[in-house]
Amino acid sequence: MRKLDSLRFDARVRAATALSWSAAQTGDHFSRLLHWPWRENPYPTYARLRAGGPFARTRLGFRVAHAHATVAHVLADRAFGVEAPEGFVPQEQYDVMDLSFLQRDPPDHTRLRKTARPAFAPRRVAGYRTEIEKIAEALLDSALERSDFDLMRDYAQPLPIAVISRLLGVSETDDDAFVRIGTVIGTALDGARSARQLREIRAATEELDAMFARMADERRAHPREDVLSALVAEHDGGGLSSDELSAMCRLLLVAGFETTVNLVGNGVMALLRHRDQWERLVADPGLAEDAVEEILRFDSPVQVTSRWAREDTDVLGEPVARGEQVVCLIGSANRDPARFADPDRFDVTRADAADHLSFSSGAHYCLGAPLARLEGQVALRALAERVPGLRPAALPTRRPTLSVRALSAFPVTTGSR
């Protein structure tokens, strides 16, 4: 990235930050969500937005859907897409990275998603359980060599990286590099906040692409029973371009990393803050499956996504013109009292928790949802069984982001019962 481009990018970020801060000071609730302290706990602001009706207009120039019914409608309606219609994209853009079908609409989305689908077939995902359990046990063996450890660094972060490494067939000699690269480019889901961060993400992306290119050559010579071998075969058969192959591998890493890391981090924090719910899980580790759904509803790892109207349409009677951008507040939808009784109560036995929208809906429903759920269930169950006295050792540190709700550090102690 040239120096002039860097200066221009930083200037745009500063201008956007100043604009949203100014709007926040005048009472624009969505703009407040972009800034501290509102961003730290967005749920009271979500409630104020919902009190104003199912849709809001921001002073930043787009619509906000925040009720469960409106968010569900926008995510599932084919009148909306992830790509802006022709003529509605700003002239100057800095794309952080290509994340394959996550950023595509049909027909490309359909074709690319079909290529990745076999890796996440229910039967295949179920077969990963034993491997995930072994990884979780090994991580806890290491963490429990001391009475205090950091939940994120020592458990929540390395678990999904190890799982996706095995899924893609990354060799153990590349594991450390894979973790380091994954940690950097995982921030791409929330966008770059400076030219320096953008350069770091792009450098990590180039390093990752080079790693995958080397591994692809190895698979051509010696195919294996792993996802990368299948993707290479698809590429060599003409089903994927070289750029699409690279983007698909990036997506599998980023999506496989971010969602599960934050599911485990947010979940353990919620459980330990609601001690009665932690004790329920300890008494019956079989509740881990239900606990994962309630965690996803109560404090979703992905809080925000957006869609563009591809044609003139309406959402539950509200007209939306072609080219309008609608920001969908998933975190707000999951706490909507019109859909969930007593939504601010955390209850791992909640019967309808799985009706959350944390994995989106419609054509873009998260392909990796079964794997994320399985990893979350295994991770929580292992903690409940092996560390029943788990307690916070200090306040967790939260990443300064809105769209991805995440912890960067969470010191915990094994405690005593």
Side-chain angles (χ1 to χ4, degrees), residues 8 10 15 35 50 68 87 89 96 99 112 114 138 145 149 221 248 261 264 282 284 317 334-335 343 365 413:
R8 185 180 297 153
D10 283 337
H35 298 277
R50 290 193 303 269
H68 189 279
V89 182
V96 176
L99 290 176
L112 293 169
K114 182 179 179 181
E145 290 177 356
F149 62 96
M248 184 76 75
V261 168
V264 175
V282 168
D284 181 7
N334 289 344
R335 296 274 194 108
Y365 183 82
T413 181

Side-chain angles (χ1 to χ4, degrees), residues 316-365:
L316 305 181
E318 180 78 13
V320 179
R322 178 180 182 272
E324 282 198 81
Q325 186 179 22
V326 178
V327 173
C328 297
L329 299 183
I330 292 171
S332 175
N334 289 344
R335 296 274 194 108
D336 187 351
R339 178 61 192 81
F340 300 100
D342 197 5
D344 294 325
R345 177 172 55 86
F346 181 65
D347 179 3
V348 298
T349 64
R350 183 183 293 271
D352 60 353
D355 290 336
H356 60 75
L357 297 171
S358 297
F359 289 124
S360 191
S361 184
H364 283 273
Y365 183 82

Side-chain angles (χ1 to χ4, degrees), residues 45-370:
T45 303
Y46 291 159
R48 294 185 187 100
L49 279 165
R50 290 193 303 269
F55 256 128
R57 287 187 180 273
T58 78
R59 295 177 188 176
L60 303 181
F62 46 79
R63 300 278 198 101
V64 179
H66 40 71
H68 189 279
T70 51
V71 172
H73 183 104
V74 171
L75 294 179
D77 191 345
R78 291 186 179 273
F80 292 91
V82 297
E83 297 178 272
E86 185 177 353
F88 288 92
V89 182
Q91 284 282 327
E92 188 176 30
Q93 290 194 96
Y94 289 89
D95 293 326
V96 176
M97 73 169 67
D98 184 353
L99 290 176
S100 190
F101 58 84
L102 191 69
Q103 299 166 332
R104 303 283 193 279
D105 287 323
D108 282 344
H109 172 270
T110 307
R111 173 177 59 85
L112 293 169
R113 185 181 174 100
K114 182 179 179 181
T115 300
R117 185 179 295 121
F120 300 100
R123 182 175 297 179
R124 186 162 189 173
V125 168
Y128 301 147
R129 179 180 289 275
T130 299
E131 182 69 18
I132 296 171
E133 289 173 343
K134 289 179 180 178
I135 294 168
E137 291 295 328
L139 290 171
L140 283 180
D141 285 343
S142 178
L144 293 177
E145 290 177 356
R146 50 201 182 278
S147 59
D148 295 349
F149 62 96
D150 189 287
L151 180 83
M152 304 308 295
R153 181 194 63 213
D154 299 324
Y155 191 61
Q157 292 171 353
L159 174 63
I161 282 286
V163 172
I164 204 68
S165 294
R166 304 300 174 265
L167 184 70
L168 289 170
V170 176
S171 67
E172 291 186 7
T173 57
D174 290 324
D175 268 358
D176 289 344
F178 205 51
V179 170
R180 174 177 52 78
I181 294 169
T183 301
V184 173
I185 69 173
T187 63
L189 287 178
D190 208 64
R193 297 184 299 280
S194 69
R196 178 179 178 180
Q197 184 187 11
L198 183 60
R199 288 194 297 271
E200 291 174 350
I201 293 172
R202 287 181 171 175
T205 301
E206 290 175 3
E207 186 177 356
L208 181 69
D209 287 351
M211 180 187 294
F212 279 132
R214 171 176 55 79
M215 291 169 57
D217 288 339
E218 293 172 355
R219 296 304 188 278
R220 289 188 179 94
H222 304 287
R224 303 181 191 175
E225 291 295 323
D226 58 37
V227 173
L228 184 56
S229 294
L231 292 177
V232 169
E234 185 74 16
H235 166 268
D236 293 350
L240 288 174
S241 69
S242 295
D243 287 344
E244 288 172 341
L245 174 61
S246 296
M248 184 76 75
C249 291
R250 285 183 225 126
L251 172 62
L252 292 174
L253 171 60
V254 173
F257 178 69
E258 278 290 322
T259 301
T260 307
V261 168
N262 301 321
L263 164 59
V264 175
N266 296 350
V268 173
M269 182 178 67
L271 285 162
L272 298 187
R273 286 181 172 177
H274 300 81
R275 195 72 195 181
D276 62 320
Q277 298 301 303
W278 172 254
E279 296 295 344
R280 277 190 173 189
L281 182 62
V282 168
D284 181 7
L287 283 173
E289 183 174 343
D290 294 334
V292 163
E293 299 304 328
E294 177 65 346
I295 290 162
L296 288 165
R297 184 202 68 82
F298 185 78
D299 203 13
S300 176
V302 177
Q303 292 275 309
V304 181
T305 189
S306 66
R307 296 290 187 268
W308 293 82
R310 303 167 66 180
E311 59 191 57
D312 290 343
T313 185
D314 74 272
V315 178
L316 305 181
E318 180 78 13
V320 179
R322 178 180 182 272
E324 282 198 81
Q325 186 179 22
V326 178
V327 173
C328 297
L329 299 183
I330 292 171
S332 175
N334 289 344
R335 296 274 194 108
D336 187 351
R339 178 61 192 81
F340 300 100
D342 197 5
D344 294 325
R345 177 172 55 86
F346 181 65
D347 179 3
V348 298
T349 64
R350 183 183 293 271
D352 60 353
D355 290 336
H356 60 75
L357 297 171
S358 297
F359 289 124
S360 191
S361 184
H364 283 273
Y365 183 82
C366 178
L367 189 61

